[in-house]
């Protein structure tokens, strides 16, 4: 049985006090959702310790949105994986399309970040996904395959057992345009096949999340698909009620 995961990527939103309120709202309503769903919230770095405090006593886990490629040292403005782990993070989002697109993150950088994550017992949520041009040219399978081969294929079997993949088509992020449930299933099944080519049967255990304009109205249909194990949620994770309602997309 694969883990069911609903993870909130808050991106660069909320002031610290607002983030704490949001986390408290998720904690307060968590009981309405099946305990089979693993909730993760990923606030900005600045909020991590306060949000960790707000999550105390609940089963909601904490993640960061990024980490440095180096362990420590003279890297002004960077935040090390060891630092976020020390604040209580269990997860770190790596390779989000916004990092790839706006901050030039390449597979070479992401390989180093993955190493840092594992060295600090963090589970990476590794994001893959094509842009609109690539989708329209029918290249989406090749794009996600390369993103997996260049990074995930470098993991050891042991590391692979602690990995979450998020498929996020860039054309669906923040656009209100969601992939259809069938489109999500098609590419999730393909991703699992690519993973199986390297890691064999362990690929059947790897959670693959869908991300891109996922909301209460469409989550249940997408999550019902065999190879969709949950969601990585942006905008709708900023309202506790919506985030929880997405979790309800998993039937008890
Ligand atoms: P939206 O849910 O706002 O489309 O964002 C998706 C995303 O990028 C999550 O990482």
């Amino acid at each position: 049985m694969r883990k069911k995961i609903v993870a909130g990527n808050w991106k660069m939103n909320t002031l610290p006090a607002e983030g704490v309120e949001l986390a408290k709202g998720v904690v307060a309503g968590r009981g309405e959702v099946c305990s089979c769903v693993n909730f993760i919230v990923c606030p900005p770095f600045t909020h991590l310790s306060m949000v960790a405090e707000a999550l105390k006593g609940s089963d909601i886990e904490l993640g960061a949105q990024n980490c440095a490629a180096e362990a420590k040292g003279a890297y002004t403005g960077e935040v090390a994986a060891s630092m976020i782990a020390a604040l209580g993070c269990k997860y770190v989002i790596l390779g989000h399309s916004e990092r790839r697109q706006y901050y030039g993150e390449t597979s070479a950088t992401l390989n180093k970040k993955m190493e840092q994550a594992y060295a600090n017992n963090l589970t990476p949520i590794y994001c893959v996904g094509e842009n609109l041009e690539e989708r329209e040219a029918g290249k989406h399978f090749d794009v996600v395959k390369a993103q997996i081969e260049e990074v995930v294929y470098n993991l050891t079997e042991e590391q692979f057992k602690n990995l979450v993949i998020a498929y996020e088509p860039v054309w669906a992020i923040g656009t209100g345009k969601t992939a259809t449930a069938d489109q999500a299933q098609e590419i999730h099944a393909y991703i699992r096949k690519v993973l199986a080519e390297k890691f064999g049967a362990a690929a059947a255990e790897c959670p693959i999340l869908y991300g891109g304009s996922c909301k209460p109205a469409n989550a249940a249909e997408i999550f019902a698909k065999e190879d969709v194990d949950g969601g990585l949620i942006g905008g709708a994770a900023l309202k506790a009620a919506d985030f929880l309602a997405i979790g309800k997309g998993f039937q008890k």
Side-chain angles (χ1 to χ4, degrees):
M1 263 299 268
R2 286 193 291 273
K3 262 186 163 178
K4 299 174 177 22
I5 297 174
V6 175
N9 174 8
W10 296 2
K11 306 192 181 184
M12 198 171 73
N13 292 299
T14 73
L15 290 174
E18 294 164 340
V20 168
E21 279 314 299
L22 175 53
K24 283 184 180 166
V26 177
V27 170
R30 196 270 173 267
E32 297 161 21
V33 186
C34 181
S35 59
C36 61
V37 179
N38 296 271
F39 281 107
I40 303 166
V41 293
C42 304
F45 290 134
T46 43
H47 308 16
L48 287 173
S49 74
M50 280 184 272
V51 170
E53 194 60 36
L55 298 179
K56 260 196 190 141
S58 81
D59 66 350
I60 295 156
E61 295 182 292
L62 189 63
Q65 299 172 20
N66 185 23
C67 71
E70 314 295 337
K72 64 175 179 176
Y75 300 101
T76 302
E78 289 292 285
V79 178
S82 60
M83 297 171 185
I84 60 178
L87 293 181
C89 286
K90 297 276 178 268
Y91 295 85
V92 60
I93 298 171
L94 291 177
H96 192 282
S97 62
E98 288 151 16
R99 301 289 321 168
R100 294 179 191 261
Q101 195 181 339
Y102 307 142
Y103 303 99
E105 284 195 1
T106 60
S107 295
T109 314
L110 289 167
N111 280 315
K112 292 172 79 176
K113 293 188 175 196
M114 295 284 270
E115 278 308 313
Q116 288 303 317
Y118 285 113
N120 290 283
N121 297 317
L122 296 166
T123 298
I125 302 175
Y126 178 69
C127 304
V128 299
E130 80 286 354
N131 62 30
L132 184 60
E133 200 182 311
E134 291 160 342
R135 165 68 62 165
E136 285 176 343
K139 291 187 186 150
H140 42 296
F141 293 111
D142 293 343
V143 170
V144 298
K145 186 171 196 223
Q147 289 168 334
I148 290 169
E149 283 180 348
E150 289 169 16
V151 177
V152 179
Y153 273 25
N154 296 327
L155 302 181
T156 64
E157 285 180 17
E158 224 28 60
Q159 289 172 328
F160 178 70
K161 286 183 192 156
N162 262 314
L163 176 72
V164 176
I165 301 259
Y167 167 68
E168 301 204 309
V170 178
W171 47 271
I173 296 177
T175 58
K177 201 174 161 188
T178 324
T180 64
D182 287 338
Q183 280 175 324
Q185 169 57 26
E186 180 186 41
I187 199 144
H188 280 226
Y190 176 75
I191 289 168
R192 200 176 300 289
K193 182 172 134 267
V194 173
L195 295 174
E197 279 164 18
K198 170 79 179 172
F199 296 102
E205 302 302 318
C206 180
I208 306 177
L209 314 182
Y210 169 78
S213 299
C214 193
K215 43 186 183 271
N218 59 26
E221 192 189 350
I222 298 172
F223 295 174
K225 294 292 177 183
E226 188 180 338
D227 287 291
V228 180
D229 305 306
L232 181 55
I233 319 301
L238 296 173
K239 283 198 184 135
D242 286 353
F243 187 57
L244 292 162
I246 288 171
K248 289 177 192 162
F250 283 112
Q251 306 304 322
K252 297 210 182 200

